[in-house]
Amino acid sequence: MDGNGRWAQQRSLPRTAGHRAAETAVIDVIEAARSAGVEWLSLYAFSTENWNRPGAEVEFLMRLVRRVVRKHAPLLLARGIRCRFLGVADPRIPRELAQDFDDLAVLTADNRGMTLTVAFDHGGRRDIVEAARSLIRSGTPADEVTERIFADHLPFPDTPDVDLVIRTSGEQRISNFMLWQVAYAEWVFPEVLWPEFRAPDFLACLHTYRRRDRRFGGVPARTNGDPS
Ligand code: IPE
Ligand code: MG
């Protein structure tokens, strides 16, 4: 969800106004994904590198996320959305916010409509290092380590591989997002800044995705010798 700061800058507003304006986009996209039948939606809200931002901006984001989580908990529950939070390991995260994350996850744990993963204080490399630690602790012999077994040590190992990554604002970077899971993801980079991103923009990204020819390193279906 990129472009909040630039959206604010274009309006001569403080960066925090851009973050505040992001709330509408978040809710619109969650509703659009749910209606479109998306089963797994992940939102990258705060990276392990975002701690390098000015303290006041970080504090604002912590307060904002807390308010948004509390405000929209009833909607998420009503829509049958299971919420989980990926990351959330840094001691600088306010205790009350971590508690609200836990509460929302517990509240919505039995929902099966769509799984919403909010990546907050997330870093793909950290997840891989933590998985390696967990694997070593499990005593698995080195020769028995497979990709499947390794992936079982990542957080939320039931999460499927990522099919589509949407990064708004025209930036074209991974920025440490779910590095293991995006191995064969399709990418789209809409120019629109996140605070202006809405359901039709999201659906346009899904449409682009559907037209992609996913080969996973193979050859196109029509030339693979299949007689059908
Ligand atoms: C939101 O956009 C992303 C967050 C980490 C909250 P930015 O704050 O990165 O916006 P730009 O890139 O400065 O425009
Ligand atoms: Mg940015």
Side-chain angles (χ1 to χ4, degrees):
M1 301 185 282
D2 202 4
N4 297 352
R6 279 162 284 165
W7 181 90
Q9 211 170 11
Q10 284 173 0
R11 287 158 183 76
S12 304
L13 295 168
R15 292 178 52 80
T16 48
H19 297 317
R20 196 180 295 117
E23 178 181 352
T24 311
V26 168
I27 300 305
D28 218 50
V29 166
I30 292 172
E31 296 261 35
R34 175 82 182 91
S35 304
V38 171
E39 292 178 358
W40 298 83
L41 175 72
S42 302
L43 297 175
Y44 197 4
F46 193 86
S47 74
T48 47
E49 290 72 34
N50 285 149
W51 291 108
N52 298 325
R53 294 188 175 202
E57 181 173 343
V58 170
E59 268 169 44
F60 182 91
L61 282 167
M62 298 290 149
R63 275 200 307 276
L64 176 72
V65 171
R66 180 153 196 244
R67 193 177 58 71
V68 169
V69 163
R70 294 175 74 92
K71 177 173 160 192
H72 296 287
L75 173 84
L76 295 163
L77 184 64
R79 293 284 186 271
I81 296 170
R82 172 171 63 159
C83 301
R84 29 164 82 163
F85 295 85
L86 174 65
V88 202
D90 196 291
R92 286 171 287 185
I93 296 169
R95 201 165 359 101
E96 309 78 44
L97 177 58
Q99 186 62 54
D100 286 338
F101 288 165
D102 283 345
D103 290 347
L104 184 57
V106 169
L107 180 73
T108 62
D110 294 331
N111 285 344
R112 288 296 175 266
M114 176 174 85
T115 300
L116 170 66
T117 303
V118 178
F120 190 90
D121 179 37
H122 163 72
R125 284 187 172 176
R126 179 169 72 194
D127 285 355
I128 290 171
V129 169
E130 286 298 327
R133 286 184 175 157
S134 162
L135 191 61
I136 291 164
R137 276 191 223 108
S138 75
T140 308
D143 291 343
E144 286 175 22
V145 176
T146 61
E147 290 183 10
R148 183 64 257 161
I149 287 171
F150 187 92
D152 283 343
H153 290 265
L154 289 166
F156 303 125
D158 59 334
T159 308
D161 278 354
V162 172
D163 291 313
L164 168 65
V165 180
I166 302 168
R167 182 172 185 150
T168 55
S169 86
E171 301 282 16
Q172 303 188 358
R173 282 189 292 281
I174 296 185
S175 298
N176 206 10
F177 178 67
M178 287 187 162
L179 293 182
W180 178 278
Q181 297 89 337
V182 300
Y184 263 98
E186 298 291 328
W187 296 76
V188 295
F189 301 103
E191 291 291 329
V192 53
L193 303 174
W194 179 256
E196 291 182 327
F197 195 77
R198 291 291 180 275
D201 304 295
F202 181 77
L203 296 176
C205 294
L206 289 190
H207 187 68
T208 301
Y209 169 78
R210 282 200 200 98
R211 288 199 316 256
R212 296 272 174 92
D213 183 15
R214 300 188 82 194
R215 296 191 295 278
F216 299 96
V219 292
R222 59 192 172 280
T223 59
N224 70 358
D226 183 339
S228 65

